[in-house]
Amino acid sequence: MLNQATGTPPDPVVTLRDVHKSFGPLKVLEGVSFEVPRGTVTAIIGRSGSGKSTALRCIDRFETIDRGEIRVCGHRVDAPGLDLRRLRQDVGIVFQSYNLFPHLTIEQNITLAPTAVKGMPRAEARALAAEVLAQVGLGDKLQAYPEQLSGGQQQRAAIARSLAMRPKVMLFDEVTSALDPELTGEVLKVIEVLAASGMTMVMVTHEMGFARGIADEVVFMHRGRVHERGPAAMLEAPTTPELRQFVGSGL
Amino acid sequence: MNGSLNANHLLFLGQGALWTVGLSLIALIGGGAVGFLVALCRVSGVRAVRVASSAYVQLIQGTPLLVIMFLTFFGLPPLGFSVSPLAAAGASLTIYVGAYLGEIWRGAIQSVPRPQWEAAEGLALSRTQRMAKVILPQAVRIATPPTVGFMVQIVKNTSLASVVGFVELARAGQIINNSLFEPFLIYAIVAVVYFALCFPLSRLSQRLERRGARGRTTLMPA
């Protein structure tokens, strides 16, 4: 699975090494490096514009990088010959705006990719949809359309849709930022359960309390760089003034 | 030579109206097929395909339908292709309508919110699957009101087929007037028939638009 010739240890599911990315003249990432070991949760925090969402999107090749190296589940994401569809079968991504398909029922939203991409028989896919929806507490919403669900329910359905592809790593891009505070909790709970089940996850989040509770490692980004990185406990005792200020303002 | 309007005249006008409807359907079906291809080409990943389809649209949108009719009907026979009035009118309308519908539908495809594409990509769907299962079904909803609205233009534009000798409603009116010399009466009848064909379409378009405006809010916040 992994390219042994380069001597990469098989352990990290996601590795970023010296990643650079610009949008025109704007340098968004200036040498970002971190890795995500299997079965762990990494929370990326930082101000708006610090590059945290861009870093996450690079992992699933929604942005192509200018320089550096990204490895995800044995794929060289920065390589020109990358098989995008194979990469995206291994990586699940959930967005801030849920992005459920509005013309399909929740069940159809979930069965679409397994049937179309993996050729799963319809009956099997429907059983799978029921299973993953139960997992996020929406077992009774199979036949509902996205517009009939609350934001929190839509986001949980979006998580279920990703899980149905049985990804090896899940990416969460500010998944609670569009939600009312009272709906945030139900989504975070689902993510917590997922973390407890051993899913490897990378999340960009503004929920400091949540990051502290769930993350094995916190990556604090500042001006396109990883400014500080460490166990979640570092949020309680920030060593750099930037992180201290960020955490102070966030709580 | 003269005389008054009788049932035979009205029958002749009715026949012309039927041909107007027929020609409109040919234009809609032919132009729809061309337009669908044009729309897909306009959003293609291949630059050359985008450029070529864009050139087609620009060229046709910058040319009067009347001139396209002249070109096919009078321009082709000297080159060795003989063309019947129906074929010339049908082909011209297809070419013309294809460019406009292609542009309307391209807009509809591109107005499906960007995050919908990304969600489909994130699920490892191929480009064809993304188009067929995620984007086009949503684009159809967006495109329906303007497409029905454009059908009004198609119906009215079929009247230009009269210049190549095709007897549709406008030409039927001309022919009757040539024998009766009652231009106001006859063209008023012709106008009323066109209106009767077009009005339901524009009402339908308006209704679809109102319904769409309600449904649009279900599309995701960007």
Side-chain angles (χ1 to χ4, degrees), chain B residues 11-221:
Chain B
L11 201 65
F12 189 65
L13 278 180
Q15 234 167 36
L18 277 182
W19 273 114
T20 289
V21 171
L23 202 52
S24 299
L25 288 176
I26 291 171
L28 182 68
I29 293 165
V34 172
F36 184 68
L37 280 178
V38 168
L40 289 183
C41 290
R42 292 278 276 129
V43 299
S44 161
V46 184
R47 202 185 125 79
V49 174
R50 282 201 309 274
V51 170
S53 55
S54 166
Y56 171 76
V57 170
Q58 297 295 326
L59 186 69
I60 300 305
Q61 289 196 339
T63 314
L65 176 56
L66 189 63
V67 174
I68 302 175
M69 295 255 184
F70 282 154
L71 262 177
T72 46
F73 188 69
F74 300 111
L76 289 182
L79 302 177
F81 305 96
S82 74
V83 189
S84 72
L86 176 61
S92 302
L93 278 162
T94 293
I95 291 168
Y96 180 81
V97 170
Y100 280 88
L101 284 183
E103 207 52 9
I104 291 173
W105 293 346
R106 174 199 57 81
I109 289 172
Q110 288 182 335
S111 63
V112 174
R114 190 73 218 155
Q116 288 286 314
W117 291 83
E118 290 196 340
E121 270 184 78
L123 289 167
L125 298 174
S126 70
R127 192 180 161 79
T128 313
Q129 289 167 341
R130 293 199 294 271
M131 258 304 172
K133 313 243 180 199
V134 176
I135 303 303
L136 288 181
Q138 297 184 58
V140 165
R141 270 194 214 179
I142 299 170
T144 303
T147 302
V148 174
F150 184 68
M151 281 165 63
V152 173
Q153 306 297 323
I154 299 178
V155 171
K156 291 190 292 186
N157 274 327
T158 56
S159 63
L160 289 174
S162 58
V163 299
V164 297
F166 185 77
V167 185
E168 40 60 69
L169 180 56
R171 180 80 188 128
Q174 257 176 355
I175 291 169
I176 292 174
N177 184 53
N178 285 347
S179 74
L180 293 184
F181 298 114
E182 291 263 26
F184 189 83
L185 174 66
I186 290 166
Y187 288 125
I189 294 172
V190 168
V192 165
V193 176
Y194 272 116
F195 182 78
L197 291 174
C198 292
F199 184 65
L201 287 174
S202 42
R203 281 305 293 269
L204 178 63
S205 168
Q206 280 167 9
R207 270 183 44 191
L208 290 169
E209 211 164 297
R210 274 203 298 276
R211 214 177 62 187
R214 279 209 304 275
R216 200 70 45 80
T217 55
T218 68
L219 293 177
M220 294 297 98

Side-chain angles (χ1 to χ4, degrees), chain A residues 57 60 62 85 88-89 91 93 95 97-104 109 112-113 116-117 147 154 161-162 165, chain B residues 115-126 129-130 133-135 137-138 141 215 218-222:
Chain A
R57 288 167 57 83
D60 207 9
F62 279 112
R85 296 185 64 200
R88 286 168 178 166
Q89 286 186 48
V91 180
I93 184 163
F95 303 90
S97 51
Y98 342 130
N99 305 342
L100 291 171
F101 306 132
H103 60 295
L104 300 177
N109 261 277
L112 174 59
V117 177
E147 60 180 337
Q154 290 193 44
R161 182 174 67 176
S162 277
M165 287 298 277
Chain B
Q116 288 286 314
W117 291 83
E118 290 196 340
E121 270 184 78
L123 289 167
L125 298 174
S126 70
Q129 289 167 341
R130 293 199 294 271
K133 313 243 180 199
V134 176
I135 303 303
Q138 297 184 58
R141 270 194 214 179
T218 68
L219 293 177
M220 294 297 98

